[in-house]
Amino acid sequence: MADRAAVPEVIWARPERTGRGPKPAFTRADIAAAAVRIADASGLDGVTMRQVAAELGCGTMSLYNYVPRKEDLYELMIDAIGAEHEMFEPSGDWRADMLRNAEETRAIMYRHTWVPRLMPGVFGFSPNTLRYLEHCLACLEPLDVPAGTKTELIALLNGVVTTYTGNEIATAERTRAMPWSAEEENAVRMAYLGSQIATGAYPRLTASFTEQSGPVDLEAVFRRALERILDAFDPDLR
Amino acid sequence: MADRAAVPEVIWARPERTGRGPKPAFTRADIAAAAVRIADASGLDGVTMRQVAAELGCGTMSLYNYVPRKEDLYELMIDAIGAEHEMFEPSGDWRADMLRNAEETRAIMYRHTWVPRLMPGVFGFSPNTLRYLEHCLACLEPLDVPAGTKTELIALLNGVVTTYTGNEIATAERTRAMPWSAEEENAVRMAYLGSQIATGAYPRLTASFTEQSGPVDLEAVFRRALERILDAFDPDLR
DNA sequence: GCGCACTACGTACGTTGTACGTAACTACGA
DNA sequence: TCGTAGTTACGTACAACGTACGTAGTGCGC
């Protein structure tokens, strides 16, 4: 029996096929694509080993020949959507390029709303992740700061993109999944917040709430956050 | 029978006790404390309805009298650790105060390593969350920007603290939970990264890796990220 | 003092990840 | 050329999870 048990292993380090025995029926890409298809259609919770196997048309346990743990399936999924990133030719304007990268990541997340929920748990540097990092570094070539600072900029931007977009998606999905209407939910929330505000314990918070009129433009907030971070790394603004 | 079914409800809007029938055996605080105790000791995955009930010394299903869904239990937990935040008197130096707030949040997360994993899923503005936001706004009183901008600063800071600290914790826990040693894991990872680098497909990434010598000072990276964000909101630096 | 709204909790169901055993298959060493 | 070792494939089975449901007991408001 194959030792599929505990072995210090990044799935990307394990060769895709081994040569001996029957030909594998699927590639990793097949499996990743099936999982992505399910996640897009039914959400991340729809991605079960049984469902993925059914989508592929094979027995549940056969999957474990390709993916030692479910966690590794997630890794495959993240790598798969990483291929959607357009690795454009750097323009020479590092700010514009990084904005474009961020905006594209955001778009990918809106296309695959399960990505933000998966990101924090993914650690193996998948091929497409490495390609993306390399691409970002290429975009940052004109920026005259140490390499370590560039890495920090990339990490900070990616983190903000994930956090902001993930929050928006989670809020949207929350209202969608509920058996009651969004208005109803909002009414209950507002009633609660109103009752809290009425206690007078949160004067500044109350002022902040009442001051702002109309709905928040999430995209604008997102853009401002990005710009601010770019400002903070821009030597020309110091 | 009580209708514990789908109702648009924030748990904080539901009154803690109703007056009729037998006195409840526990308060929400009891339950939250029990869940926090378990999470601290056995991780977030140890927090099951059965475990929490056992910790309280009651039947599993009795919990559902207090907490309609497990998700609401999480909400209770987040609120409970929110009480650990020290709401100090603002010093008048908003940068120093916000740094202190961030550093304290980070410390709380290191004390309760499950917090970052829970944060993205928590939406109900719990009492302690409101108190914390109010406190942040008090610290930002000397900052001369619109109220909306202050809110954005708070959100950005909190997001970065959660992301950075959460990543660190996840990495640490990952190596701890593994049946193999951290050195072994690291060796495998490095061997893999080395093999990728050897392909020559990632020249800039390779340079960045080899350029940096010695381990990364995570706390310093964290501090720099905070300072940069504060810079970006500081009118005196524009 | 009656009844209703609540608490308490055992049982049970559906679903999950995955350990394990078995059977079939093929590339390699002899 | 032929075993045989290392695979793939997959059915069965198990422990653990969230929680629906039913029943029994309790005490406040009318």
Side-chain angles (χ1 to χ4, degrees), chain A residues 4 19-23 47-50 60-61 64 70:
Chain A
R4 65 164 89 107
R20 203 70 150 258
K23 300 260 190 253
V47 179
T48 68
M49 297 305 268
R50 284 169 235 261
T60 306
M61 293 314 289
Y64 284 90
K70 196 189 181 186

Side-chain angles (χ1 to χ4, degrees), chain B residues 4 19-23 47-50 60-61 64 70:
Chain B
R4 64 164 90 106
R20 206 67 151 263
K23 300 261 190 249
V47 179
T48 68
M49 297 305 269
R50 285 168 234 263
T60 306
M61 293 313 291
Y64 284 90
K70 196 190 182 187

Side-chain angles (χ1 to χ4, degrees), chain B residues 1-63:
Chain B
M1 181 180 47
D3 182 17
R4 64 164 90 106
V7 157
E9 202 166 32
V10 195
I11 191 168
W12 307 111
R14 143 192 300 221
E16 177 144 13
R17 57 170 60 214
T18 48
R20 206 67 151 263
K23 300 261 190 249
F26 315 105
T27 65
R28 255 177 218 165
D30 292 334
I31 295 174
V36 166
R37 235 175 295 135
I38 294 173
D40 285 346
S42 335
L44 190 56
D45 295 336
V47 179
T48 68
M49 297 305 269
R50 285 168 234 263
Q51 270 298 319
V52 174
E55 175 84 15
L56 288 167
C58 73
T60 306
M61 293 313 291
S62 308
L63 270 187

Side-chain angles (χ1 to χ4, degrees), chain A residues 40 84-85 104 106-114:
Chain A
D40 286 345
E84 294 185 20
H85 235 114
E104 211 175 301
R106 182 173 167 88
I108 290 175
M109 286 179 177
Y110 265 108
R111 227 162 25 235
H112 307 286
T113 52
W114 40 272

